[in-house]
Amino acid sequence: MRTIEAALGLLIIVAALALALGAARLLAPVPPTGLGVTLALIGWGATVAADGMTGRALRKEDRAAAQPWRAVFYLLLALTLAASLPLVVDLLNLATVAGFPVGYYMAAQGLLILMAILAFRAATSLDALDRAAAPAHEDD
Amino acid sequence: MLIGTETLLPALTAVLLIAAVAAVLSRSNEAAAQASGGAAFGPVGGGLAFAGLFAFAVTVLLPGLTHQHGFDGLIPFTGLTGGLLLMAVLVGPALARSGAATLPELIGQRFGRFAHALALVVALAATGGLLLGALSVGTSIAARIFNVSSATAALVASAAILLLVLPGGLQSALGSSRPITILVGLAFLGCVALLSFSLIASPVAHLGYGAALHKITPAELALIESGAVDFGTFKPFLREFLTVDRLNWALLTLCLMGAIAALPPLIQATGAFKPAATRRGLAWALTFVVIALTAVPALAALTRLETYRVISSGPTFNDLPDWIRRGSETGAISLHGTSLGLVDTVTQFVVGGATSIDAVSAAMADRGTRSETRWQRLDPAVQASVLELARKFQASPGRPLADRWTAYVDTVATAAAAAAGNLSGKPDLASVAIEPQDLLLALPHTAGLPPIVSSLVIAIVLSAAAVLAAVLIATLSSMLVRDGTAAIFGREPGNTAEVALIRVAAIVLTLGFALTAAVVPVPTDVTFIVSLSLAAAGLLPALILAIWSPRANSWGLAAAMVAGLGLGTYYLAGTALYSVSFYETWHWLSSAGSDAYADYEMARDIWIAAEGDDRAAAYADLAARTTGSLWSPGLANWFGIAPAAAPILAAPFALLIGLLVSAVTPRPRTPFLTAFDRIHGRTRATAAVAP
């Protein structure tokens, strides 16, 4: 399952590059995707792939290999979330919650809170993998 | 001049005293603690200290940015928080585990002396630029508030900074950051809660200002319909991508994230955490920053809405409400470029012997670039009316605000409105301007709170600026001494000598930077962008190679840094300074397309055929077509990327070059691989190879 996830991530990256080079024209008369969309798609593909690779390493109980993949996953997730927001902000702004247009809310508060939550999750996860990978040399 | 001067000095002294006591309690004569923070803090305490480094930006720089640019001003919000997350993931406890105190030292352990020296130069430049920008803003505000010259403000600021740095370098500077962060949090959130409660009856601004947002767009539409809006300057609050386009909104955010993650003072400050607490400490720091940051748009939105409400009610200048009068008294709110605060400042000059407009201009220049620019922008007739009113104020001091306001409106505001072509006797939206950096500082007085509250808020914010400058000075001085000697002589000095040298360097650097910031006009936005670009384009790839690539060697590192800085500098300078020749060379990569190039060629033919003054005008037309702003590209660009987003090209390019060069040159020697393993908490025998 994790291998499929990693492969799916790679597939998304390939599709993003193909769309950027104008492959969609083979099916419909649409222009190539712009740099922003391409970066966001590549980011999501790489994030999915990194999560798959982490899962693969953990399934093999290779925590030393899982640790850097987990770090790459959080890193890519943060970058991709930031890169994706401007692409969907208009769409999100169609909805309003408690007076907040949702797109604006995400840029002003939502994404920030999400980053903080991710930071705690990353800290817990990476610290645990660190301890598991090098119990004899853990400095705490 | 901001109000509260009588209580301001005691308030500032008291707050600085608190910071100084905290600094003394964190004192140390250990060189490692001076340079790294001493690994003394747990996650929450360290997180508080770390978050304090963002206090000045949150209270002074970002409210104005959000107020002016609305949605587009939110780029730093995601950039700062995402950058801290990246730092927790990328760097984590690497510095503490490696035993290095500074970022260049970490690079040196992994790649040797040459890489150490290269990283040191870039780290010094990035940190020095930030320090210069922060001091420039800080001393300019202090000079205006205390009504003293910029040089005097710089000297006093230097004394405050040294008070926090000398007891224990970075450790004492970060120690002083903790109480100041708590005070900043109380002051900032308290002010925003007060504003929120008084305007929308909700003390929790974070949640309540949705009600204000809901009213903003209809209020803007009403103002547009009534013709009270200047479309040249007006930016609807919720409208996206007016200052920065969609692509560059994303790219600038990513660049800021990368820059924050690789910024030398921040990385060095991670040494303050106990090694096992670094990631959680950074998560706590991020949480504290988020709590403050999420209140900033509330402040901006509520201020905008209240301004709209006043303008749409169509008052004359004389009928403007008390909060605008008090805001004008502080100099934070101006009408057609003038304010009651400006008249008060000129009155001080008149008391000091300035009797002519030239003398006032000279005195304004002494207050810093910002004051001088604002004064020079005024029409001579307006300057004359300000001077005349100042003489009257000097002759009859102590008049109540209502009297002074009437006199100001009848003379100065009327003259300024006439000079701007506004003969209606009523302010429109463009004529009422709020000084971006004073949005929070002036809020307590504008809201009619007692002077002591106003003084305390100002004192706390200025102390936060001093703490930030102290951390930057501690970082610079320790890098200069510790890494400088190691890079030049191959070894660090003994503990006593190193501590003494760090302290001497701190004194020299503090005085040098403070006086430079006071005397030399510093374009702070450019300074910040260059510093952050250096970090993102030069140091981020180096950091990734050092921490995440065991195969990377010194050749690869040097190639990566040179390639990243080279490409970043070329793109930034090419698109911002030499845009015509840049577009000539790279028009096929520009997002503008072939039609735009055809138009450009026609304009170029006109320039080639022109002579004399016409030739200069034709070239100016060419340059105007090809040059955009730092945030928004002109014709000269690659793929539509803005000049300030240059690191988005430079950092991946640098990484690629670094990996390629490392792959074709000899493997790193064992000491460098041992250093890699140490960063990951492993020994050579049990090392597992990272991907």
Side-chain angles (χ1 to χ4, degrees), chain B residues 124-144:
Chain B
L124 286 175
T127 312
L130 282 183
L131 177 62
L132 200 59
L135 280 172
S136 176
V137 176
T139 51
S140 147
I141 291 174
R144 275 189 290 127

Side-chain angles (χ1 to χ4, degrees), chain B residues 133-456:
Chain B
L135 280 172
S136 176
V137 176
T139 51
S140 147
I141 291 174
R144 275 189 290 127
I145 289 172
F146 286 98
N147 210 14
V148 295
S149 72
S150 296
T152 309
L155 283 173
V156 175
S158 303
I161 292 165
L162 290 174
L163 206 62
L164 308 181
V165 172
L166 290 181
L170 189 59
Q171 181 169 301
S172 62
L174 284 170
S176 68
S177 176
R178 284 195 295 183
I180 295 299
T181 307
I182 294 170
L183 290 174
V184 166
L186 291 174
F188 180 63
L189 297 177
C191 283
V192 178
L194 179 84
L195 183 70
S196 174
F197 187 71
S198 62
L199 295 182
I200 55 172
S202 166
V204 188
H206 296 68
L207 302 176
Y209 82 99
L213 288 179
H214 193 59
K215 294 176 188 165
I216 274 187
T217 304
E220 286 169 343
L221 287 173
L223 285 171
I224 291 169
E225 283 170 9
S226 66
V229 165
D230 173 6
F231 286 104
T233 54
F234 177 64
K235 286 176 182 161
F237 193 73
L238 293 173
R239 189 85 173 85
E240 316 89 2
F241 313 126
L242 289 174
T243 312
V244 180
D245 61 41
R246 193 184 300 270
L247 170 67
N248 284 298
W249 202 100
L251 298 185
L252 288 166
T253 305
L254 298 182
C255 287
L256 185 56
M257 286 169 75
I260 293 290
L263 215 51
L266 295 183
I267 290 181
Q268 204 163 324
T270 62
F273 295 110
K274 290 171 184 161
T278 307
R279 290 195 186 102
R280 270 181 300 135
L282 285 169
W284 275 109
L286 175 49
T287 305
F288 296 131
V289 171
V290 166
I291 290 170
L293 268 185
T294 45
V296 172
L299 174 61
L302 292 169
T303 311
R304 275 248 198 162
L305 187 63
E306 190 57 13
T307 311
Y308 292 162
R309 198 188 60 73
V310 169
I311 300 296
S312 60
S313 66
T316 62
F317 284 113
N318 226 345
D319 296 334
L320 284 169
D322 282 348
W323 71 267
I324 289 192
R325 297 177 183 207
R326 287 191 294 262
S328 178
E329 197 178 22
T330 67
I333 298 177
S334 59
L335 300 177
H336 288 296
T338 68
S339 66
L340 205 48
L342 175 71
V343 180
D344 287 342
T345 303
V346 174
T347 307
Q348 298 279 342
F349 295 155
V350 171
V351 171
T355 52
S356 66
I357 289 177
D358 287 343
V360 171
S361 299
M364 280 290 180
D366 207 30
R367 291 288 179 276
T369 316
R370 210 177 180 84
S371 302
E372 186 188 11
T373 309
R374 276 194 290 184
W375 174 253
Q376 295 297 353
R377 263 195 219 132
L378 295 179
D379 188 271
V382 181
Q383 290 179 338
S385 69
V386 171
L387 184 58
E388 193 182 325
L389 185 59
R391 287 196 189 111
K392 286 181 185 166
F393 282 3
Q394 183 215 5
S396 55
R399 292 162 68 179
L401 174 60
D403 280 2
R404 288 190 299 136
W405 180 259
T406 305
Y408 161 72
V409 166
D410 289 347
T411 55
V412 176
T414 305
N422 176 6
L423 303 176
S424 66
K426 294 179 178 179
D428 57 16
L429 197 57
S431 64
V432 180
I434 299 179
E435 178 63 33
Q437 292 174 358
D438 292 348
L439 201 61
L440 173 72
L441 291 172
L443 183 61
H445 182 75
T446 307
L449 293 174
I452 184 65
V453 179
S454 182
S455 299
L456 275 173

Side-chain angles (χ1 to χ4, degrees), chain B residues 594-605:
Chain B
S594 53
D595 289 348
Y597 187 64
D599 286 348
Y600 167 84
E601 281 184 313
M602 287 168 63
R604 187 185 58 189
D605 292 342

